């Protein structure tokens, strides 16, 4: 939650604002220092209109990347605030595993800025903002759903309607890291569904699906399929960091 301006001086006095990456003093809460900002890798242009994957060189308008040509995605676009590198990893770990939920406004602000810059959200069009769900046992263990915190912040910034419990994860799934595409899809098959009673709100709507990190896309694709089956008109994926090692500049890998 963003600190109200009227109490910000008190908060700053008790908790002097520090850069979450290096600990250096900063002007206000929820920001990086001047030295750490450039360590984030912001996706470049031109990029694929289907999935937002940056191209290595020049590309004609409307050119799609090879993965989208080989297998057209079910979603309607991906917007990532950063590419997953060492700096982004440290922020994600501090936020999700270090329980530093005060980082949500910073990450949400970066995602919202990219959404505005990419023009992925139609002007004046109402959007439903839906977080990727986590299983109840993981929610109990962690104490919060990091995607829901980001979704709440983004909804407030773009004027969208937040539906924090639109989807549920029916069963606990294994950690997907290290699994191939087929194994990931098998693990997620039938695991994610719409919560009873929300289908009517999803039908015909434009949905912004929010997650913290997009790795292989297996989890978000399962969410997209559930939303599309419910009749969603458009589903755009928004995340803080996207794993695209081939797109990282050598000095920011």
């Amino acid at each position: 939650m963003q600190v109200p301006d009227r109490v910000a001086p008190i908060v700053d006095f008790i908790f002097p604002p520090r850069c979450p990456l290096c600990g250096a003093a900063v002007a206000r809460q929820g920001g990086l220092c001047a030295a750490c900002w450039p360590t984030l890798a912001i996706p470049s242009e031109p990029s694929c209109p289907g999935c937002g994957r940056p191209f290595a060189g020049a590309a004609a308008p409307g050119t799609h990347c090879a993965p989208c040509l080989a297998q057209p995605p079910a979603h309607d676009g991906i917007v990532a605030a950063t590419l997953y590198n060492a700096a982004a990893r440290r922020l994600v770990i501090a936020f999700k595993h270090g329980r530093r939920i005060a980082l949500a406004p910073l990450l949400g602000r970066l995602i919202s800025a990219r959404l505005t810059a990419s023009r992925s959200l139609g002007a004046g069009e109402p959007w439903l903002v839906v977080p990727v769900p986590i299983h109840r046992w993981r929610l109990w263990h962690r104490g919060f759903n990091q995607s829901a915190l980001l979704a709440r912040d983004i909804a407030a910034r773009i004027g969208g309607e937040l539906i924090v419990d639109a989807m549920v994860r029916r069963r606990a799934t294994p950690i997907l890291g290290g699994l191939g595409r087929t194994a990931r899809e098998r693990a997620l098959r039938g695991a994610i569904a719409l919560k009873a009673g929300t289908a009517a709100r999803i039908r015909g709507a434009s949905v912004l699906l929010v997650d913290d990190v997009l790795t292989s896309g297996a989890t978000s694709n399962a969410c997209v399929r559930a939303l599309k089956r419910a009749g969603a008109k458009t589903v755009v994926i928004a995340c803080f960091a996207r794993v695209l090692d081939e797109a990282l500049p050598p000095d920011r890998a």
Side-chain angles (χ1 to χ4, degrees):
M1 182 182 297
Q2 192 69 35
V3 177
D5 290 340
R6 64 181 181 276
V7 299
I10 300 174
V11 174
D12 289 350
F13 178 77
I14 300 173
F15 303 103
R18 299 284 180 179
C19 173
L21 282 178
C22 72
V26 293
R28 58 182 299 176
Q29 304 285 351
L32 302 179
C33 69
C36 286
W37 275 115
T39 64
L40 295 176
I42 308 301
S44 62
E45 295 294 338
S47 62
C48 172
C51 72
R53 183 186 300 270
F55 289 121
T63 302
H64 284 72
C65 66
C68 283
L69 291 174
Q71 186 174 0
H75 58 71
D76 299 286
I78 298 175
V79 177
T82 68
L83 299 178
Y84 192 80
N85 67 354
R89 179 178 181 273
R90 288 175 61 192
L91 287 173
V92 169
I93 289 177
F95 175 49
K96 182 160 62 174
H97 302 294
R99 293 178 168 83
R100 294 178 62 181
I101 61 175
L103 289 173
L106 168 63
L107 307 189
R109 184 169 72 248
L110 292 173
I111 297 171
S112 300
R114 286 291 297 175
L115 285 168
T116 302
S118 68
R119 299 181 181 179
S120 295
L121 306 183
E125 184 176 1
W127 283 79
L128 299 182
V129 184
V130 173
V132 168
I134 63 175
H135 189 263
R136 62 183 180 275
W137 290 115
R138 187 164 295 174
L139 180 62
W140 176 82
H141 175 74
R142 185 176 297 157
F144 61 94
N145 178 356
Q146 71 281 356
S147 298
L149 294 181
L150 294 177
R152 181 180 65 179
D153 187 86
I154 293 168
R157 294 180 189 278
I158 70 171
E161 179 186 354
L162 174 66
I163 309 182
V164 72
D165 58 350
M167 291 187 291
V168 295
R169 199 176 285 245
R170 291 170 168 168
R171 68 173 189 275
T173 52
I175 295 175
L176 301 181
L179 298 180
R181 172 176 293 182
T182 301
R184 290 171 187 260
E185 292 179 352
R186 187 184 304 116
L188 287 163
R189 190 171 297 137
I192 295 175
L194 255 66
K195 184 178 179 180
T198 60
R201 302 177 69 183
I202 297 298
R203 190 175 302 113
S206 297
V207 178
L208 185 66
L209 179 68
V210 178
D211 204 358
D212 58 337
V213 178
L214 183 67
T215 308
S216 70
T219 300
S220 58
N221 286 339
C223 294
V224 170
R225 287 193 292 268
L227 291 165
K228 291 278 188 170
R229 282 196 299 267
K233 179 179 70 174
T234 303
V235 181
V236 172
I237 301 170
C239 64
F240 168 66
R242 183 178 182 186
V243 178
L244 283 177
D245 292 343
E246 70 277 11
L248 282 173
D251 61 334
R252 300 188 190 177

